[in-house]
Amino acid sequence: MGQKTLTRMDLSEAVFREVGLSRNESAELVETVLNHMSDALVAGEQVKISSFGTFSIRDKAARVGRNPKTGEEVPINPRRVLTFRPSHLMKDRVAAGNKG
């Protein structure tokens, strides 16, 4: 199976075909939804989409690691990590698509 990337344009085209908005309105709608999701994640909220899954941000604490070449201990800076947990319906749908 080849690798495919779903783009904003792909989402806009899907909205255009399914909903019947103009191409510009479809693109604006997709952009607004993605911006709203991003803003919520930045604010530390979870984004839960029914029957799809949940996006959330986790804070990973600062810790100490080792340089593999020298063995010297080095600090690893704290960071925020985006995680996605698919719903059972999404997992089942993807699994069914992989069987064929």
Side-chain angles (χ1 to χ4, degrees), residues 37 40-41 43-48 54-57 85:
M37 288 174 60
L41 289 167
E45 300 174 27
Q46 281 191 351
V47 176
K48 186 172 186 175
T54 304
F55 296 89
S56 60
I57 295 284
R85 288 189 312 266

Side-chain angles (χ1 to χ4, degrees), residues 17-61:
R17 285 191 310 272
E18 297 294 324
V19 179
L21 296 174
S22 72
R23 278 191 161 78
N24 285 342
E25 290 171 329
S26 298
E28 288 174 9
L29 177 63
V30 167
E31 190 71 26
T32 300
V33 169
L34 294 174
N35 285 340
H36 186 68
M37 288 174 60
S38 297
D39 291 344
L41 289 167
V42 167
E45 300 174 27
Q46 281 191 351
V47 176
K48 186 172 186 175
I49 302 171
S50 180
S51 300
F52 184 74
T54 304
F55 296 89
S56 60
I57 295 284
R58 289 185 309 136
D59 289 324
K60 294 196 84 171

Side-chain angles (χ1 to χ4, degrees), residues 55-91:
F55 296 89
S56 60
I57 295 284
R58 289 185 309 136
D59 289 324
K60 294 196 84 171
R63 57 196 195 281
V64 176
R66 290 205 179 271
N67 181 324
K69 292 182 181 177
T70 65
E72 180 182 346
E73 287 189 350
V74 293
I76 298 174
N77 293 332
R79 60 187 174 149
R80 299 182 86 191
V81 178
L82 175 66
T83 59
F84 172 68
R85 288 189 312 266
S87 70
H88 289 293
L89 292 173
M90 177 58 72
K91 287 179 183 178

